[in-house]
Amino acid sequence: MADVARLAGVSAQTVSRTLSGHPNVREHTRAKVLAAVEELGYRKNDAARMLSSGRSRTLGIVVFETMFYSRSAVTVGVEHAAHRAGYSVSAVTVSSLDSTAIQDAMTRLSEHNVEGIILALPLVQVNKGIEDLTRTIPTVCTDGSRTPSTHVVTVDQTMAARLATEHLLSLGHETVWHVSGPESWLEVGGRTKGWREALEEQGRFVPPALQGDWSPASGYQNGLIVGRIPDVTAVFVASDEMAFGVIRALHELGKRVPEDVSVVGVDDIPLAEYCSPSLTTVAQPFESIGERAVERLIAAIENPSSAAQTETIEPSLIVRSSTSAPA
Amino acid sequence: MADVARLAGVSAQTVSRTLSGHPNVREHTRAKVLAAVEELGYRKNDAARMLSSGRSRTLGIVVFETMFYSRSAVTVGVEHAAHRAGYSVSAVTVSSLDSTAIQDAMTRLSEHNVEGIILALPLVQVNKGIEDLTRTIPTVCTDGSRTPSTHVVTVDQTMAARLATEHLLSLGHETVWHVSGPESWLEVGGRTKGWREALEEQGRFVPPALQGDWSPASGYQNGLIVGRIPDVTAVFVASDEMAFGVIRALHELGKRVPEDVSVVGVDDIPLAEYCSPSLTTVAQPFESIGERAVERLIAAIENPSSAAQTETIEPSLIVRSSTSAPA
DNA sequence: CCGCCAGGGGCGCTGAGGATA
DNA sequence: GTATCCTCAGCGCCCCTGGCG
């Protein structure tokens, strides 16, 4: 930067102002500086800027290490929104959901001087370290879970389950079976609740819920179970990936979808539309979640005194061909 | 840090040495320092460390903004390997493959003082800016494409195509049709080449290649085409996601897979095993690619004089139930 | 002489205040 | 007085030199 200043015949300070869009710089000077920057191939040094200004303009995101669509989608939304707002994002993945792993990830992020953190995973257990961190650094969680000081941007999971269940009931099914995710995930509770409520409101039998772990394989295992139970005509599966597994199992058992059994998933992954049959599912607006999370986070950074808030986004049912009236 | 030093009754320098695992620190002193760190909740400041030492211990990765499985998988491998080696990674996504977008992304990374860059996308076009950057900063590309100074870690795409094609021929199919990806992607060229060679070697008819854009929708469109052509009994599709679309189209046209038409994909996404029928595919070891890319990158960082090298990883055929002998 | 530690200088940048027109 | 620019003093840490046992 000193070199640039020398070449442009100005002070380092003026170069700094020019580069950060500061007002009081004459057009002529600015042009000279820019020319010098160009000629010298100068690149600003974020580390120095951060050290000096105390601001990093960086957001951190903690993602659970899975190959699932939802994680990528949220991340894409986060990066877009952050970039638009002039922030960069640094991500760390955790391979476990226990509190020490998450605390560790958050600590690493805080050492990178992030100004805020997005937790793109369920806060299954919270320890003191995490609570302290969330008090120090603005944090938003994209799952229903939270500490007292985290903001939340999430999808209304209860509604998602109601949409799916009511759709199946309205088609004429007597009741709806359910393959849920791991119960430690908070969103799973919401889905199970919505499913149960929808059934109870119409006075239907509430079957025991089966449980998977989000993997297609676990969907397959559970499909092998429900497929063997007589009278099962409708299944609400808590994720599209598991729904694929369920459908596969049903096929193997000689049941056709949707003629014999209707299946509804959750997520609306890109392949949902292109499997056979195409999957009726409840779409979660992952990218919007990421974007809203960033907006809320930046608001919290700029106004640290604001109280923790919860924002809920509504999911929407997408009817395709894995559901129909029972035979 | 000064506070910690005061509390521990040592100099800041000693604290620094303790924290960075420097040898010459007495066990007793180290314990005192660690206690003080704990008590004060001190966290090291990466920005200052970076500025002072000139090393950021950060790797950059440029990923193409897609929700595709490969993107997440490579990223996971990169993060793992980087973390293991004591590096952190900062990612930026680009939504276009043109050279200015990529140059821009690399510049952003260089401003973050990354010590090396992984290009997890095809270098469709290279401009001077990118070339300069790759000369300044060690770079590895996970696609076949490259500038003179980039290292390459990639899957042998020609072999992938041969594996798929030869598998189908060995099953007794007369010839194999092909749905490729966008031809600007270098790996697409390799796949098309391998497919063609495998056919020619056995003196088979080489049908015109159809072209998709990686999306399931484009697979569907192409499936609608090949499905209408008489005598088509085998199709090699350049990605699993497109293969899903192709199969869907075939179903709609009343063709059964694999009885009427055999289909092979590439990638081995998690759902490949759980669709109906499960998909025969050529697995690409994405995580290994990410890991190897990091290892190579770190080697290049530590030994900047080393010449650019290309490392090729072999793909493997996974036979499932979307392929069989022709009727 | 070696093992351990303290102090000074500086990394590249920005914020505050003063100088110049 | 106002617009424009400059000088100065660090931000928190690590490298180097040197002093103490």
Side-chain angles (χ1 to χ4, degrees):
Chain A
M1 178 142 135
D3 301 334
V4 175
R6 205 173 307 117
L7 210 181
V10 299
S11 77
Q13 173 61 351
T14 304
V15 176
S16 168
R17 300 189 119 160
T18 306
L19 263 29
S20 39
H22 210 86
N24 297 346
V25 178
R26 216 179 314 163
E27 193 48 55
H28 175 63
T29 314
R30 141 183 258 86
K32 269 197 309 190
V33 170
L34 260 20
V37 165
E38 183 65 28
E39 179 167 343
L40 264 42
Y42 167 81
R43 310 211 175 293
K44 59 184 176 225
N45 181 328
D46 268 338
R49 164 192 307 253
M50 175 184 328
L51 184 57
S52 172
S53 69
R55 295 208 51 183
S56 66
R57 300 220 126 235
T58 299
L59 267 24
I61 178 170
V62 183
V63 301
F64 185 43
E65 166 198 291
T66 64
M67 259 53 110
F68 299 134
Y69 166 70
S70 57
R71 302 299 151 210
S72 319
V74 171
T75 305
V76 166
V78 165
E79 278 178 355
H80 265 178
H83 190 205
R84 267 203 306 275
Y87 282 77
S88 59
V89 1
S90 112
V92 345
T93 40
V94 295
S95 43
S96 145
L97 289 178
D98 68 40
S99 54
T100 57
I102 294 179
Q103 182 184 348
D104 202 63
M106 292 178 72
T107 302
R108 272 163 67 196
L109 250 16
S110 81
E111 285 168 357
H112 278 304
N113 302 71
V114 298
E115 296 185 29
I117 293 180
I118 292 172
L119 260 18
L121 41 67
L123 233 32
V124 173
Q125 38 168 305
V126 176
N127 62 14
K128 182 165 175 316
I130 295 178
E131 267 205 50
D132 288 348
L133 251 3
T134 61
R135 242 192 307 278
T136 317
I137 305 177
T139 306
V140 9
C141 193
T142 62
D143 186 88
S145 50
R146 51 181 299 179
T147 73
S149 41
T150 47
H151 296 253
V152 172
V153 174
T154 191
V155 168
D156 185 339
Q157 299 297 346
T158 307
M159 181 184 219
R162 295 187 80 103
L163 286 173
T165 310
E166 286 167 3
H167 165 64
L168 289 165
L169 293 181
S170 76
L171 247 24
H173 294 273
E174 265 309 307
T175 189
V176 176
W177 287 65
H178 180 41
V179 176
S180 77
E183 61 188 6
S184 61
W185 290 57
L186 205 132
E187 48 191 27
V188 167
R191 285 183 203 164
T192 304
K193 177 162 168 280
W195 161 73
R196 174 171 290 118
E197 284 176 359
L199 291 179
E200 286 171 348
E201 272 171 23
Q202 302 201 18
R204 308 304 175 91
F205 166 63
V206 181
L210 298 171
Q211 193 172 86
D213 64 5
W214 299 132
S215 72
S218 74
Y220 176 74
Q221 293 302 331
N222 281 299
L224 251 22
I225 296 171
V226 290
R228 285 195 170 85
I229 300 174
D231 303 329
V232 171
T233 64
V235 185
F236 164 49
V237 187
S239 84
D240 286 353
E241 315 230 350
M242 290 197 295
F244 269 70
V246 168
I247 290 174
R248 169 75 187 291
L250 292 173
H251 280 172
E252 285 187 10
L253 293 173
K255 305 236 177 187
R256 291 174 311 157
V257 178
E259 293 82 352
D260 301 320
V261 181
S262 286
V263 175
V264 179
V266 178
D267 280 354
D268 193 30
I269 64 175
L271 284 178
E273 188 176 353
Y274 289 97
C275 55
S276 317
S278 63
L279 193 63
T280 294
T281 190
V282 182
Q284 302 204 71
F286 292 115
E287 274 196 65
S288 311
I289 292 176
E291 289 171 3
R292 294 295 304 132
V294 168
E295 288 162 20
R296 193 156 284 280
L297 188 54
I298 292 178
I301 289 167
E302 285 168 359
N303 184 2
S305 57
S306 66
Q309 295 187 313
T310 294
E311 176 172 341
T312 307
I313 298 181
E314 297 198 350
S316 55
L317 179 72
I318 297 183
V319 178
R320 288 199 271 251
S321 44
S322 65
T323 51
S324 71
Chain B
M1 178 142 134
D3 300 334
V4 175
R6 205 171 309 119
L7 210 179
V10 299
S11 77
Q13 174 57 8
T14 305
V15 177
S16 168
R17 303 189 117 157
T18 308
L19 263 28
S20 38
H22 210 85
N24 297 349
V25 177
R26 215 179 317 166
E27 192 47 55
H28 175 63
T29 314
R30 142 183 257 86
K32 268 197 310 189
V33 170
L34 259 22
V37 165
E38 183 65 28
E39 180 168 343
L40 265 43
Y42 168 80
R43 312 214 173 292
K44 58 181 183 247
N45 182 327
D46 268 336
R49 177 210 249 34
M50 174 184 326
L51 183 58
S52 170
S53 70
R55 294 209 51 182
S56 65
R57 299 220 128 238
T58 299
L59 267 26
I61 177 171
V62 183
V63 300
F64 186 43
E65 167 199 291
T66 64
M67 257 56 111
F68 300 134
Y69 166 69
S70 56
R71 166 196 131 90
S72 326
V74 171
T75 305
V76 166
V78 166
E79 279 180 354
H80 266 180
H83 191 206
R84 266 204 306 275
Y87 282 77
S88 59
V89 1
S90 113
V92 348
T93 41
V94 295
S95 43
S96 147
L97 290 177
D98 67 39
S99 54
T100 56
I102 294 178
Q103 183 185 346
D104 201 64
M106 292 178 72
T107 302
R108 273 162 66 193
L109 250 18
S110 81
E111 287 168 357
H112 277 305
N113 301 71
V114 298
E115 296 185 31
I117 293 179
I118 292 173
L119 261 16
L121 40 68
L123 233 33
V124 173
Q125 38 167 308
V126 176
N127 61 14
K128 183 165 175 314
I130 295 177
E131 269 206 47
D132 289 347
L133 250 4
T134 60
R135 242 191 309 277
T136 319
I137 306 177
T139 306
V140 10
C141 193
T142 62
D143 186 89
S145 49
R146 53 181 297 181
T147 73
S149 41
T150 46
H151 297 254
V152 173
V153 175
T154 190
V155 168
D156 185 338
Q157 299 298 345
T158 307
M159 180 185 220
R162 296 185 79 102
L163 285 173
T165 309
E166 286 167 1
H167 165 64
L168 289 165
L169 292 181
S170 75
L171 248 22
H173 294 273
E174 265 309 308
T175 188
V176 176
W177 287 64
H178 179 41
V179 177
S180 77
E183 62 188 4
S184 61
W185 289 57
L186 207 132
E187 49 190 26
V188 167
R191 286 184 201 162
T192 303
K193 175 161 168 281
W195 160 74
R196 174 171 292 118
E197 284 177 359
L199 289 179
E200 286 171 348
E201 272 171 24
Q202 303 203 17
R204 307 305 176 91
F205 166 63
V206 180
L210 299 170
Q211 193 172 86
D213 64 6
W214 299 131
S215 72
S218 74
Y220 176 74
Q221 293 301 331
N222 281 299
L224 251 22
I225 296 171
V226 290
R228 284 197 170 84
I229 300 174
D231 303 329
V232 172
T233 64
V235 184
F236 164 49
V237 186
S239 84
D240 286 353
E241 315 231 349
M242 289 197 296
F244 269 71
V246 168
I247 291 174
R248 169 75 188 293
L250 292 172
H251 280 171
E252 284 186 8
L253 292 173
K255 305 236 179 187
R256 290 175 312 157
V257 178
E259 293 82 352
D260 301 319
V261 181
S262 287
V263 176
V264 178
V266 179
D267 280 352
D268 192 30
I269 63 175
L271 284 178
E273 188 176 353
Y274 289 98
C275 55
S276 320
S278 63
L279 193 64
T280 294
T281 189
V282 182
Q284 302 205 71
F286 292 115
E287 273 196 65
S288 312
I289 293 176
E291 289 171 4
R292 294 295 303 131
V294 167
E295 287 162 21
R296 192 155 284 278
L297 188 54
I298 292 178
I301 289 168
E302 285 168 357
N303 184 1
S305 56
S306 65
Q309 296 187 312
T310 294
E311 176 172 342
T312 305
I313 299 181
E314 297 198 351
S316 55
L317 179 72
I318 296 182
V319 178
R320 289 199 271 251
S321 46
S322 65
T323 51
S324 71

